[in-house]
Amino acid sequence: MSNMFGAIGIAASGMAAERIRMDVTSDNLANADSTKGPNGLPYQRQEVVLQTGGQTFSDALGNAQQAGVQATSIVNDPTPDRQVYDPTNPDANKQGYVTMPNVNTVTEMTDLITESRSYEADTQAMSTAKDLYLKTLDVLR
């Protein structure tokens, strides 16, 4: 019976992971033009590192309580910063270039759509599992 309710736990873990990813992507979008952060450097794009609970598919089936996904860390994207020519910007160097964050708004919006759809899919999976459990209880009555 505990494996039966594992589907809800797996879907919930996916929802939690996607929520974190959406938060990080939103931060990236909000700071896409931040040339100076608290450390005096341009904002660095962040990425969420995810890890699965089970090592293999059979592990996930055998122990649904440890299956699913979880966000293990948030790391800086190693992509180099962008150099934009804008001699009127107060942060421009002597050649007129401004060091901008390594955030591409098109990529971030695409990621946000993907994360949102994944969250919706997890919500639907949880709802379907709940409906199946309720039907099973009706049969057992």
Side-chain angles (χ1 to χ4, degrees), residues 40-120:
L41 299 172
Y43 176 81
Q44 286 291 300
R45 179 178 185 267
Q46 305 289 300
E47 296 178 313
V48 178
V49 177
L50 301 176
Q51 180 178 342
T52 60
Q55 298 302 319
T56 66
F57 182 70
S58 60
D59 289 344
L61 289 177
N63 191 359
Q65 308 304 8
Q66 293 180 357
V69 65
Q70 63 181 353
T72 57
S73 63
I74 298 173
V75 297
N76 286 340
D77 179 357
T79 306
D81 294 330
R82 299 177 293 134
Q83 297 294 317
V84 176
Y85 184 72
D86 184 4
T88 62
N89 190 310
D91 294 327
N93 63 16
K94 291 178 184 177
Q95 292 79 28
Y97 286 93
V98 180
T99 303
M100 299 295 288
N102 59 345
V103 176
N104 180 327
T105 55
V106 174
T107 301
E108 298 303 322
M109 289 304 295
T110 304
D111 286 351
L112 198 55
I113 291 168
T114 302
E115 294 153 2
S116 176
R117 289 186 179 163
S118 294
Y119 186 90
E120 290 171 10

Side-chain angles (χ1 to χ4, degrees), residues 113-132:
I113 291 168
T114 302
E115 294 153 2
S116 176
R117 289 186 179 163
S118 294
Y119 186 90
E120 290 171 10
D122 287 326
T123 302
Q124 184 61 44
M126 184 180 282
S127 178
T128 301
K130 181 190 78 161
D131 291 344
L132 289 172

Side-chain angles (χ1 to χ4, degrees), residues 20-40:
I20 293 169
R21 289 182 66 210
M22 285 188 280
D23 288 346
V24 169
T25 300
S26 296
D27 286 346
N28 289 342
L29 281 168
N31 289 292
D33 293 324
S34 299
T35 58
K36 285 192 178 176
N39 60 0

